């Protein structure tokens, strides 16, 4: 399944899934009608709310039971077609152009991996912009900085002049867990999603003097995530995926998930003593080709008007654009320079 969070009307996000033709199915409503019409369940609305909640993180909190029920709801809706309506006559199947996709999930915790692709670490060393990697680093991303597909990355010109991109594969957890080994890690993976780890390199350079960096990656809108979550059953081998990032149609990053230094099960097991909750997200590191480590960084750093496309095989394309602070905050006084 390709799981999305969508809005058919502003301010009302719902958990959905993509039909084979690209239309968006409201999973909670579809499951409600399935329970009513097929299972003859008298408490169909209440049961659907428990098994296939309308909010994505709550759906993942149901683990495999909820994901299986969501698959059933999707298949039922596709079979019944456009005429299917919810218990109160609600529209269940939406045309793709009629809805707004949001970030597919708002995690409780976002575990961030840095330095996992050796090629990225080596280009950083060549550029004199590096840090110890043993063989990778973990820190937490700011979940409030998450934006979805099509949303704008706001360029805070008062904070940075070196705005960079980082294409990453991220994992969505489907159950809680602590202190487990790599052999058990697959049991915790609910799906995969694309992450663009937007970074202010000039801020990062200063932070790295203390051996820690976080603020440079945690500024508002710096965490594009999406466009949807592809469930783990559709990607049985996540270390065999092509990766490509483009800016204004030109390739900047191109690599393969097989180049990870440390595998996804190893990362999951290593971080597990901190404890996972269902719906948590874990990134796996970026690949070579970032602007900062190129021969001419200033010509490649992001600027207002740029369009970034992050593509990972078997998942899709996460597309965002960059806007200036003034465009994002019309009429507001310019912020103080820092």
């Amino acid at each position: 399944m390709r799981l999305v969070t969508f809005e058919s009307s502003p301010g009302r996000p719902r958990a959905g899934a993509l039909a084979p033709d690209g239309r968006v199915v409201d999973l909670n409503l579809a499951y409600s009608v399935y329970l009513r019409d097929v299972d003859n369940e008298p408490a169909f609305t209440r049961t659907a709310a428990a098994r296939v909640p309308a909010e994505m993180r709550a759906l993942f909190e149901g683990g495999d039971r909820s994901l299986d029920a969501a698959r059933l709801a999707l298949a039922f809706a596709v079979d019944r077609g456009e005429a299917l309506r919810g218990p109160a006559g609600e529209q269940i199947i939406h045309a793709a152009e009629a809805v707004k996709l949001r970030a597919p999930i708002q995690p409780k915790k976002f575990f961030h991996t840095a330095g996992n692709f050796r090629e990225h670490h080596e280009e950083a060393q060549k550029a004199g912009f590096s840090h110890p990697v043993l063989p990778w680093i973990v820190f937490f991303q700011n979940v409030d900085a998450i934006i979805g597909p099509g949303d704008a990355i706001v360029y805070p010109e008062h904070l940075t002049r070196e705005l960079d991109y980082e294409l990453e594969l991220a994992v969505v957890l489907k159950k809680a867990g602590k202190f487990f080994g790599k052999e058990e890690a697959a049991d915790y993976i609910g799906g995969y999603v694309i992450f663009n780890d937007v970074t202010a390199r000039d801020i990062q350079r200063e932070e790295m003097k203390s051996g820690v960096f976080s603020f440079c990656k945690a500024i508002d809108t710096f965490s594009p995530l999406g466009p949807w979550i592809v469930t783990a059953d559709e990607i049985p081998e996540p270390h065999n995926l092509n990766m490509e990032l483009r800016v204004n149609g030109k390739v900047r990053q191109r690599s393969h998930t097989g180049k990870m230094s440390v595998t996804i099960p190893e990362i999951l097991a290593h971080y597990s003593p901190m404890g996972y909750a269902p719906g948590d997200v874990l990134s796996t590191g970026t690949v070579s080709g970032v602007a900062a480590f190129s021969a001419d960084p200033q010509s490649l750093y992001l600027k207002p008007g740029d369009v970034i496309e992050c593509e990972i095989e078997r998942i899709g394309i996460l597309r965002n654009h960059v806007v200036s602070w003034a465009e994002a905050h019309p009429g507001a006084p310019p912020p103080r320079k820092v």
Side-chain angles (χ1 to χ4, degrees):
M1 278 188 302
R2 281 161 169 73
L3 297 170
V4 300
T5 292
F6 73 97
E7 290 182 358
S8 57
S9 58
R12 297 186 63 188
R14 305 273 298 178
L18 294 187
D21 61 3
R23 291 181 298 171
V24 176
V25 174
D26 188 308
L27 292 172
N28 170 262
L29 291 177
Y31 194 61
S32 293
V33 178
Y34 172 85
L35 291 172
R36 183 192 67 188
D37 294 358
V38 179
D39 282 1
N40 298 312
E41 168 62 56
F44 56 87
T45 301
R46 185 169 67 249
T47 303
R51 292 184 188 171
V52 185
E55 193 273 327
M56 189 63 72
R57 195 168 85 195
L59 177 66
F60 273 84
E61 287 170 352
D64 283 330
R65 184 185 187 190
S66 287
L67 291 173
D68 288 344
R71 289 186 185 93
L72 193 156
L74 175 60
F76 173 74
V78 170
D79 181 66
R80 289 293 182 93
E82 193 71 37
L84 185 67
R85 288 292 184 268
E90 306 97 330
Q91 186 172 354
I92 291 179
I93 302 177
H94 302 265
E97 61 273 15
V99 301
K100 165 67 178 174
L101 295 188
R102 295 298 184 186
I105 196 165
Q106 188 69 20
K108 181 180 178 182
K109 297 191 297 296
F110 195 147
F111 297 82
H112 199 304
T113 303
N116 187 25
F117 283 80
R118 185 59 52 183
E119 62 186 43
H120 177 59
H121 180 53
E122 289 173 354
E123 71 174 355
Q125 288 181 314
K126 291 177 182 177
F129 193 126
S130 190
H131 46 76
V133 177
L134 303 171
W136 77 96
I137 296 170
V138 60
F139 57 94
F140 286 105
Q141 186 65 277
N142 173 21
V143 298
D144 292 332
I146 292 173
I147 59 173
D151 290 340
I153 300 165
V154 180
Y155 192 143
E157 297 97 334
H158 58 296
L159 294 177
T160 181
R161 294 292 179 179
E162 299 180 7
L163 195 64
D164 211 344
Y165 47 81
E166 291 190 3
L167 168 62
E168 305 197 20
L169 173 68
V171 180
V172 182
L173 283 297
K174 68 179 179 181
K175 67 177 184 177
K178 300 177 184 178
F179 297 103
F180 57 80
K182 62 182 181 180
E183 298 78 13
E184 306 163 78
D187 295 337
Y188 292 83
I189 299 175
Y192 301 94
V193 64
I194 301 170
F195 170 50
N196 184 2
D197 179 23
V198 178
T199 305
R201 296 296 183 193
D202 38 8
I203 297 175
Q204 183 183 29
R205 195 178 295 110
E206 291 302 309
E207 287 190 293
M208 284 169 56
K209 292 176 181 178
S210 65
V212 176
F213 54 89
S214 179
F215 178 60
C216 62
K217 297 172 176 286
I219 295 168
D220 187 46
T221 74
F222 276 25
S223 295
L225 193 70
W228 39 70
I229 300 165
V230 178
T231 50
D233 59 297
E234 294 200 13
I235 305 180
E237 184 40 77
H239 300 99
N240 189 29
L241 304 174
N242 291 311
M243 307 171 69
E244 184 174 285
L245 181 143
R246 300 176 292 274
V247 178
N248 302 327
K250 296 181 179 180
V251 175
R252 297 285 185 85
Q253 292 183 283
R254 179 181 284 155
S255 192
H256 190 271
T257 56
K259 294 183 178 181
M260 291 184 191
S261 299
V262 183
T263 66
I264 292 170
E266 289 171 327
I267 297 171
L268 283 168
H270 184 75
Y271 297 171
S272 68
M274 290 188 279
Y276 296 123
D280 282 352
V281 174
L282 183 150
S283 74
T284 59
T286 196
V287 301
S288 60
V290 299
F293 308 148
S294 70
D296 185 10
Q298 290 300 328
S299 69
L300 299 180
Y301 283 132
L302 298 172
K303 60 186 183 300
D306 284 346
V307 176
I308 307 100
E309 293 176 306
C310 299
E311 183 171 5
I312 298 181
E313 185 181 5
R314 303 190 69 173
I315 299 180
I317 299 174
L318 171 64
R319 185 179 291 104
N320 298 92
H321 60 287
V322 182
V323 302
S324 67
W325 180 272
E327 185 179 350
H329 303 87
R336 181 178 59 87
K337 299 287 184 181
V338 295

